[in-house]
Amino acid sequence: MKLKIAIVQSLFLFLALFLSTLSQATPALWSAEKNGVTSYLFGTVHVGDASMNGLPHKVKSAINRSKYTVVELDMSTLSPLDIQRKLASFVASTEVKPLQEALSPPVYNQLKSYFAKRDINIELFRGQPVWMVMLTIIQLEYQKAGYSEAFGIDKQVIAHAKQLNKPIKPLETFEQQLAMFSNIAQMGDEMMGQTLSQMEDVKTFIHDMISAWKTGDEARLNSYYHLSFDETKYAQLAEQTLLIERNHAWIESLAPAMTKEPHFIAVGALHLPLEHGLITLLKAQGFTVKRL
């Protein structure tokens, strides 16, 4: 049970690998105004270390000025037993091949070698979907590098909003996020191959990514976007599933509400920039968006 709960928690770690950066020293806090109502956008990172504990003052103030706090998913509403049941139900309802059948022999052997170097028996994962194994790998590497979802900015935003008795609006359900990972896992070889490749120098990658978050370097934010979502078929599927479709769905529900009541919106920072980012989509809806 503990293993499965840890795997679920690493949903956040996987998103962090794709959807992180921006700044605590100079936080990328944006205002979005329409009809005289001002809401806020805050690019977050889903993992961190002890040095990232504590939200910047202007972020706290923006939460205080907003009626609602919006996050991707509020895991604090689910008990470990809830998570276990929902995860078991989802996996049971999908067709899951044994790991050795889901991956080609070369990729399976690459994965087996990865686990062997860490004294982990790959047979422990035989009945699990490829995406769950991938999330386990990412969690292991983030923990090894000294980062944890316990210091994630999203978690801190939720905690602060609850201290102020602000209603929390999750953009997605737990089941929706599971379905999202299951969808991109249709390209199992590519998913696992890219993950193992990224893990080869993960410590440098993570530290650089967090550094970009702390210094507020938007150019590096865009570079991480293009690095994560290149021209390969798998990357394009991941971009469509993890970012584009979600961003458009979020704006469809958020934009009308933001003209009536102020919202503080905290989502992974790569959801904000470029053509399909929330900033561009809100501008297209007639909002005036400014970085504060």
Side-chain angles (χ1 to χ4, degrees):
M1 178 174 175
K2 289 183 178 179
L3 176 62
K4 289 187 177 180
I5 297 301
I7 290 170
V8 171
Q9 290 173 339
S10 63
L11 286 166
F12 293 105
L13 305 184
F14 175 71
L15 289 177
L17 188 66
F18 279 96
L19 311 176
S20 302
T21 203
L22 290 185
S23 162
Q24 182 164 347
T26 54
L29 181 64
W30 302 75
S31 65
E33 185 274 331
K34 185 177 180 181
N35 293 350
V37 179
T38 299
S39 293
Y40 302 91
L41 301 174
F42 184 47
T44 66
V45 49
H46 304 305
V47 293
D49 57 25
S51 71
M52 296 159 63
N53 190 31
L55 296 172
H57 175 72
K58 67 179 181 180
V59 171
K60 291 181 179 180
S61 296
I63 295 173
N64 189 46
R65 290 194 295 270
S66 302
K67 182 172 182 178
Y68 298 101
T69 297
V70 180
V71 294
E72 296 175 37
L73 177 67
D74 183 5
M75 290 288 286
S76 69
T77 63
L78 299 176
S79 70
L81 183 57
D82 291 332
I83 295 171
Q84 178 75 9
R85 287 174 174 171
K86 288 176 179 290
L87 180 61
S89 176
F90 181 84
V91 172
S93 67
T94 58
E95 295 184 6
V96 179
K97 294 181 179 179
L99 195 61
Q100 193 163 354
E101 295 180 17
L103 299 174
S104 66
V107 176
Y108 180 83
N109 288 333
Q110 187 181 1
L111 178 62
K112 185 176 181 180
S113 176
Y114 169 87
F115 281 128
K117 291 177 181 177
R118 291 154 181 81
D119 296 321
I120 299 173
N121 188 343
I122 196 172
E123 288 300 313
L124 292 172
F125 306 95
R126 173 169 285 275
Q128 295 183 7
V130 172
W131 59 267
M132 286 182 66
V133 180
M134 178 267 296
L135 294 174
T136 302
I137 291 171
I138 293 172
Q139 184 185 41
L140 289 171
E141 297 297 338
Y142 269 66
Q143 289 177 343
K144 183 178 178 182
Y147 294 98
S148 166
E149 55 86 24
F151 295 108
I153 301 303
D154 307 76
K155 192 168 186 176
Q156 295 185 54
V157 165
I158 291 171
H160 185 71
K162 287 186 174 181
Q163 287 179 355
L164 299 175
N165 294 316
K166 299 290 183 179
I168 307 294
K169 282 188 177 183
L171 290 165
E172 296 169 338
T173 66
F174 182 61
E175 290 83 357
Q176 284 177 309
Q177 291 213 344
L178 293 180
M180 175 179 67
F181 285 101
S182 182
N183 179 43
I184 60 175
Q186 63 185 276
M187 300 183 70
D189 267 6
E190 292 81 0
M191 169 183 274
M192 188 58 67
Q194 184 181 92
T195 300
L196 292 173
S197 176
Q198 288 174 333
M199 295 305 103
E200 290 178 359
D201 194 24
V202 66
K203 189 171 184 178
T204 299
F205 177 81
I206 294 173
H207 289 333
D208 187 58
M209 180 178 67
I210 295 298
S211 174
W213 186 86
K214 289 180 177 180
T215 57
D217 191 332
E218 291 187 72
R220 287 165 74 189
L221 169 63
N222 290 346
S223 72
Y224 276 118
Y225 188 107
H226 295 301
L227 177 65
S228 298
F229 305 111
D230 56 27
E231 297 302 316
T232 64
K233 289 184 65 176
Y234 171 72
Q236 290 180 0
L237 174 64
E239 180 186 21
Q240 186 68 30
T241 304
L242 296 176
L243 283 170
I244 296 176
E245 291 178 0
R246 297 169 78 202
N247 287 355
H248 284 267
W250 294 349
I251 288 298
E252 186 175 343
S253 64
L254 283 174
M258 290 168 63
T259 63
K260 300 173 183 177
E261 303 283 358
H263 289 61
F264 181 89
I265 302 162
V267 294
L270 286 189
H271 284 290
L272 301 188
L274 302 177
E275 179 184 0
H276 296 284
L278 298 187
I279 291 171
T280 298
L281 297 180
L282 282 172
K283 288 179 178 179
Q285 293 284 330
F287 286 83
T288 300
V289 183
K290 298 178 180 179
R291 182 166 179 172
L292 301 177

